[in-house]
Amino acid sequence: LMVGLDGSCTFTKATDLHECAFELPMEKLVMETSTIIPSHVANTLGRNAFPHSGTLPFIAEAIAKLKKRVSAAEVARSASQNTLYLYPELSRASDSFESTD
């Protein structure tokens, strides 16, 4: 079982998600780009904000702050590894890109 967290966890009032992020083991975490825009991005861009993979660093930063003892880079690395575990074909695809150089 993996648990995906999206931009919802960046909102102050999402206390249930904050608790989930704090308790969730890193080996069960994946990050998602859903229709929820991270709060900082939404506040900065307003109506011009849209969901895309560029919001993942903001989600990783929010999760790291909630977990307290990990960095955003560690969250991102763990979520990436977990995603490759869930979707091994992604790993094979990236290997084929590297071998074409």
Side-chain angles (χ1 to χ4, degrees), residues 16-47:
D16 289 342
L17 284 174
H18 296 171
E19 186 177 331
C20 177
F22 178 77
E23 297 289 337
L24 184 66
M26 293 286 280
E27 59 272 3
K28 299 294 182 185
L29 169 71
V30 293
M31 293 187 298
E32 301 180 10
T33 56
S34 67
T35 58
I36 308 296
I37 308 295
S39 61
H40 176 71
V41 176
N43 291 339
T44 303
L45 298 178
R47 293 179 183 265

